[in-house]
Amino acid sequence: MRLDVLSIFPEYLSPLQLSLIGRAQEKGLLDLGVHDLRDWTHDRHRTVDDTPYGGGAGMVMKPEPWGEALDHVLGAGAEAPVASHARPPAAPVLIVPSPAGEVFTQATARELAAREHLVFACGRYEGIDHRVIDWAAERAEVRMVSIGDYVLNGGEVAVMVMVEAIARLLPGVIGNPESLDEESHEDGLLEYPVYTKPAEWRGHEVPPVLLSGDHGKVARWRRDERLRRTARVRPDLLAALPAGVLDAHDRRVLAALTEEREETAPG
Ligand code: ADE
C-alpha cells in the first residue's frame, strides 16, 4: 500500500517510523511518503494561509499550494475530471481529517486497508479552502473523516490514528493475524480481559477458569466477559448487533446481568 501525507508539520508524523508501522515499511508492506506542503509555495515566506472570505476569526489554507501538492501526489489521475464510476480500482482515496467529517470506525479502517493508495491532507487553522475538496472530488474519491467528537489543532494526530488502525490490518503487518479476530470493534463486542503470570499478584488472582486447561470453558468464559463488558460500557454496541449474533446462552448471560442490576439498584 502507498500512503502519502501532506502537512505543514511533516516532523509531527515521525512516530510513523517506529514500531509495527516502521517495520511494515522496512518489510516493503507499506510505502510512506510524508511531504511538506510549503514545498509547493513560491513566495519568500512560504505562505499557506490567508484571511477568510466573508470575514470571521482565524485563517484559511490557500488553495494554490494544495492544488500543486495534490497534482504531485495524485499523479496522472489528477489531470482531468473522471466520473466516479470510471475510476480504476487502484485510484487513490484522498482523506481529509476534519471534525466535520464522517466518523472513523473499524469498518472505515477495513475499507481503507483494501485500497492501494491513500493520500492524507492535514489541514491547520480554520481548514482548507473548500474548492480544493470540490476539485479533488472530480478526480479522486474524497472522504472527510473525523476521529471523534472533539477538536484537535490539525489533522496530523488524526492521521497517525488512522494510519495505525489501517496499517495493522494489512497482511503481514501483525505477526499473528488470529489475534485480530476477537478484538474490540471487530464483531460488535468489546474484547475480554487478559491475564499473564504470576497467577496471584498483590492479592489479586487470575480467574480460575483460565488455569483449568479446559479450552471450551475458557472460550465460553471469554465470550461471557465480552458480553458483560459490552453491556456495561457500550450498550449502544449491543443494541446495534445484527440479528442472529447472540445465541440462547448469550441471551441468558445478558438477562442474568439485567436481573443482577435490578437487584442491586437503589430504591
Ligand atoms: N481535525 C481537528 N479535529 C479533528 C478530528 N476530531 N478528527 C479529525 N481531524 C480533526
Side-chain angles (χ1 to χ4, degrees), residues 96-100 123 145-156 158-159 162:
V96 184
S98 163
V145 182
S146 166
I147 60 161
D149 293 342
Y150 40 80
V151 180
L152 304 168
N153 284 337
E156 287 78 5
V159 168
M162 290 190 262

Side-chain angles (χ1 to χ4, degrees), residues 18-258:
L18 305 174
S19 188
L20 280 179
I21 310 300
R23 223 170 311 137
Q25 289 172 74
E26 285 160 21
K27 286 201 251 172
L29 302 170
L30 201 64
D31 182 14
L32 172 69
V34 178
H35 313 270
D36 187 346
L37 181 72
R38 293 190 201 273
D39 288 348
W40 288 280
T41 57
H42 302 289
D43 64 314
R44 210 156 51 89
H45 300 292
R46 315 222 304 156
T47 311
V48 291
D49 61 336
D50 209 334
T51 53
Y53 275 123
M59 299 291 270
V60 174
M61 295 192 98
K62 290 162 66 59
E64 300 94 328
W66 278 111
E68 288 189 33
L70 291 170
D71 286 344
H72 179 82
V73 296
L74 295 174
E79 279 163 17
V82 188
S84 53
H85 66 267
R87 285 182 198 133
V93 184
L94 175 64
I95 298 146
V96 184
S98 163
E102 57 171 308
V103 176
F104 183 80
T105 65
Q106 190 65 19
T108 324
R110 245 179 279 128
E111 251 175 67
L112 295 174
R115 304 297 294 254
E116 281 175 36
H117 186 190
L118 306 180
V119 176
F120 293 90
C122 300
R124 284 262 151 184
Y125 316 115
E126 298 306 308
I128 304 172
D129 185 310
H130 202 74
R131 288 169 295 179
V132 175
I133 317 293
D134 294 336
W135 170 87
E138 292 166 357
R139 289 155 177 86
E141 183 181 334
V142 178
R143 294 176 71 163
M144 285 176 64
V145 182
S146 166
I147 60 161
D149 293 342
Y150 40 80
V151 180
L152 304 168
N153 284 337
E156 287 78 5
V157 171
V159 168
M160 281 197 279
V161 168
M162 290 190 262
V163 168
E164 179 149 328
I166 294 164
R168 62 196 295 283
L169 299 177
L170 300 178
V173 171
I174 298 262
N176 174 11
E178 275 172 28
S179 67
L180 298 174
D181 291 348
E182 288 184 318
E183 281 182 333
S184 300
H185 307 298
E186 273 302 336
D187 62 2
L189 294 178
L190 300 181
E191 63 199 358
Y192 49 79
V194 293
Y195 302 86
T196 186
K197 289 172 265 315
E200 200 238 280
W201 176 78
R202 296 191 177 183
H204 290 255
E205 281 174 10
V206 168
V209 60
L210 298 179
L211 310 176
S212 70
D214 183 331
H215 298 303
K217 273 197 186 144
V218 169
R220 187 63 253 176
W221 180 85
R222 285 181 167 164
R223 182 154 178 97
D224 293 355
E225 286 299 305
R226 299 183 76 201
L227 291 162
R228 289 193 199 108
R229 186 181 258 186
T230 311
R232 204 170 53 239
V233 185
R234 293 292 303 276
D236 57 312
L237 294 181
L238 214 49
L241 283 180
V245 170
L246 301 179
D247 63 18
H249 184 114
D250 294 338
R251 281 181 218 290
R252 279 199 296 278
V253 170
L254 292 172
L257 197 65
T258 314

Side-chain angles (χ1 to χ4, degrees), residues 253-264:
V253 170
L254 292 172
L257 197 65
T258 314
E259 270 171 37
E260 242 173 67
R261 279 188 187 156
E262 280 163 7
E263 278 165 23
T264 55

